[in-house]
Amino acid sequence: IPADRIRNFSIVAHIDHGKSTLADRILEMTGALAYPLDKQSSQVLDKLSVERERGITVKAQTATIVHEYGGHAYLLNLVDTPGHVDFSYEVSRSLSACEGCVLLVDATQGIQAQTVSNCLLALEEDLEIVPAVNKIDAPAAEPEECARQIEDVLGLGAEALRVSAKTGEGVAALLNAVVERVPPPRTERDTKPFKALIFDAHHDQFRGVVCLCRVVDGSIKAGDRVASCGTGTELEVLEVGLMCPEPTECERLEGGQIGYVVTGMKNSADFRIGDTLRKSVDVGVEALPGFKPIKSMCFGGIFPAATDEYESLKRAIEKLTLNDSSVVVHRESSQAMGPGFRCGFLGLLHMEVFLQRLEEEHGQSVVSTKPFVPLLVVEADGSREREILSPGDWDEVKWGRTTRVLEPVVLATIVCPNTVVGKVITLCHDHRGTQVDHTALGSQRVMLRYRLPLTELAGDFYDSLKGCSSGYATLEYEEAGHEEADLVKLDVRVNGEVVDSLARVVHRDHAFPVGKAMVSRLKKLLDRQAFELALQAVVGSKVVARETLAALRKDVLAKCYGGDVSRKKKLLKKQKEGKKRLKSLGSVNVPVEVFPQLLK
Ligand code: GTP
């Protein structure tokens, strides 16, 4: 099919604005799906069970469809994109394989925080944006108001289409608009050597690694030898094809097309997402500009629930990181938890989803620590910069009088109803936020912009925001550099011994309330031991909170009433031995089952 009859586009939207429903409707209408989806069945493009359960798209999925327009068949490549803030890396990855995108806005909700940021991402990629107002069938829909917001707030000149992904109304017109407004891919099929961008990859049990590619120039077929511009690895192409949406083999992939390439590669390190693929013979082909280097926004320790599962956890993490290359993995060992990993994630939900996938798709049972936002340590003159990736690193810093700590801050966009704006502002201030902007969105809603420390978002901020706005406020953020902060390390000691995996770094003003909450939770969760346990939260050498877990001594003797002194003595002796055993374990006799709850 000639390049001018190809359109590569994706759909971007705020969460729940109907992107997956629209994708399904498009597949159904273009015949990619032979039968209509029944109402109960989950969306075709949301393949992962995590996605079905949470109703969010995590991994971008791609489908090729045929659409008739003006008496011609057009090949439309629809790239599904994740809707959540944490996955903006995947959004921009998917967008870089496209020339245009449909910006979908729910007519009952209007513009939300993610609508704004997704729109900015698309503009950054220089994409043609086709705005569309969805859910026009819903009784509460206000399509006119919604379209006005798209024009006023986002400044998109193009007229917004009206669709209902549910009933299918307007969807054919939307596809026509994609053909009319989105430019065809620019490509040189015959005059330039083959070059393709790997924008996604997954592991197939039988075929090894399957790469999803956007062919930029030239063409490729089974039997060709290809090489990675990044790693230099050479492999033979076993199969090429299109996602329809099931993988369907085809003879060749040509410039402008999106499809899959199977090489039988087993080692995931050979071809990386963001890498450029060339033919082995074309040594001179230059790599395409890759993606922005990934920056981990939070780190978490991941340990196997049982130590003998370390190897299988390692393999599972390797497989998952092929599919999600934005996760950074280091090895780590903790006194309390044994050998494990410290992984870097793009955000909090990203970490949560990763853990859930480890469990559900790879059958791993793991214990994870609280997410940690990396900090920078600098001297007053700006010298000696080092990164703190976990609370444990804090102790390795040589703290001088001029040593300062910088923490990452974000620029948060919050959209909420007028009625709760006071509560939202209070919440932001309580979390050390500074207001940057306050704009009315129509007569009912407000858009607030705040500078906030990322660490504050790692706590319960999101839940509190949802709580104080009855679920109506939406949040999105982007990085906004580093700022100095008065932070301290908060340790938890059990009978004088520090439990490394419970350490945290908090703002000095929060050390007392956080420490108090931690030791009282610890007290509730720990079984009473044969001896008294002192539970302390400490900053440096200063105890900020303390609880005592009483010994079980009384209970031991309660069983023997009467005057049998020798029996009592025997029991007390046994108890003493027990004490020794526990103490020699290091007084921290914390059962592993307790950790998931402690670390929450
Ligand atoms: P994420 O993948 O989580 O970003 O969500 P999404 O944008 O894909 O939303 P999804 O397609 O899952 O739709 C969210 C909800 O809106 C579902 O309950 C849909 O049934 C509903 N919905 C989607 N489109 C329409 C529509 O046109 N009309 C009505 N009434 N409901 C719709």
Side-chain angles (χ1 to χ4, degrees), residues 281-571:
V281 289
D282 302 323
V283 187
V285 168
E286 264 179 50
L288 295 158
F291 300 95
K292 274 187 228 158
I294 310 153
K295 221 165 90 201
S296 303
M297 300 290 267
C298 76
F299 284 81
I302 301 181
F303 300 92
T307 23
D308 60 348
E309 284 163 11
Y310 175 80
E311 283 302 322
S312 76
L313 175 61
K314 189 174 156 207
R315 277 194 301 275
I317 288 182
E318 273 166 12
K319 277 198 187 142
L320 255 186
T321 46
L322 162 72
N323 196 238
D324 184 350
S325 58
S326 54
V327 180
V328 179
V329 184
H330 305 284
R331 297 180 57 157
E332 177 166 276
S333 197
S334 142
Q335 281 157 20
M337 303 299 301
F341 302 89
R342 175 150 290 269
C343 299
F345 301 94
L346 302 173
L348 305 161
L349 181 70
H350 186 206
M351 173 166 165
E352 238 178 82
V353 165
F354 186 82
L355 291 172
Q356 197 180 340
R357 291 184 65 190
L358 267 181
E359 210 154 288
E360 286 181 1
E361 291 166 34
H362 298 274
Q364 299 295 313
S365 75
V366 298
V367 175
S368 62
T369 63
K370 202 178 138 48
F372 183 83
V373 173
L375 306 167
L376 278 184
V377 176
V378 294
E379 290 303 323
D381 60 2
S383 67
R384 260 220 339 193
E385 197 171 295
R386 71 160 281 175
E387 231 182 336
I388 296 187
L389 299 183
S390 74
D393 291 351
W394 188 273
D395 298 328
E396 286 164 23
V397 176
K398 285 207 188 69
W399 296 101
R401 291 180 59 189
T402 55
T403 317
R404 298 180 304 145
V405 184
L406 307 183
E407 65 177 343
V409 288
V410 296
L411 185 59
T413 305
I414 300 172
V415 173
C416 68
N418 285 345
T419 47
V420 300
V421 72
K423 286 187 202 161
V424 174
I425 287 176
T426 309
L427 178 73
C428 290
H429 285 176
D430 288 348
H431 285 84
R432 306 190 273 136
T434 332
Q435 196 177 91
V436 179
D437 190 19
H438 187 148
T439 313
L441 276 187
S443 59
Q444 311 281 320
R445 298 182 312 143
V446 173
M447 178 170 84
L448 297 169
R449 305 265 274 168
Y450 264 89
R451 273 178 84 81
L452 280 160
L454 181 61
T455 310
E456 294 292 330
L457 297 186
D460 55 2
F461 185 86
Y462 192 69
D463 288 340
S464 308
L465 180 67
K466 286 286 170 192
C468 78
S469 65
S470 313
Y472 285 115
T474 57
L475 165 75
E476 182 71 61
Y477 57 80
E478 61 244 19
E479 297 161 42
H482 283 78
E483 261 171 29
E484 187 175 350
D486 188 9
L487 304 177
V488 292
K489 183 181 179 212
L490 184 68
D491 271 316
V492 172
R493 287 197 206 145
V494 177
N495 265 10
E497 250 180 67
V498 169
V499 184
D500 58 358
S501 44
L502 293 184
R504 289 205 196 169
V505 172
V506 295
H507 192 262
R508 191 179 298 277
D509 296 346
H510 298 172
F512 171 68
V514 173
K516 194 161 169 48
M518 283 177 76
V519 288
S520 42
R521 186 132 50 102
L522 194 58
K523 184 178 177 182
K524 274 200 208 105
L525 287 171
L526 286 186
D527 282 337
R528 289 170 75 190
Q529 309 280 340
F531 52 94
E532 195 178 273
L533 275 186
L535 311 174
Q536 297 169 313
V538 294
V539 172
S541 55
K542 195 170 142 223
V543 177
V544 295
R546 174 190 169 108
E547 291 275 358
T548 308
L549 195 61
L552 274 172
R553 187 164 186 271
K554 259 187 231 143
D555 296 352
V556 181
L557 287 182
K559 278 190 214 138
C560 42
Y561 2 82
D564 186 351
V565 177
S566 67
R567 179 143 185 252
K568 264 189 195 164
K569 271 191 182 153
K570 210 169 135 194
L571 271 172

Side-chain angles (χ1 to χ4, degrees), residues 11-25 39 43 46 51 54-58 80-84 104 106 108 114 133-139 163-169 171:
I11 307 171
V12 294
H14 187 81
I15 204 153
D16 277 348
H17 280 199
K19 186 179 62 222
S20 303
T21 310
L22 178 63
D24 278 357
R25 198 62 56 238
K39 297 242 158 40
Q43 282 114 354
D46 285 359
E51 297 183 355
R54 289 168 183 257
I56 50 164
T57 312
V58 175
D80 196 13
T81 54
H84 193 273
L104 203 62
D106 185 334
T108 66
Q114 274 163 245
V133 174
N134 188 29
K135 307 198 188 179
I136 51 167
D137 62 289
V163 300
S164 165
K166 194 172 167 188
T167 65
E169 188 183 345
V171 176

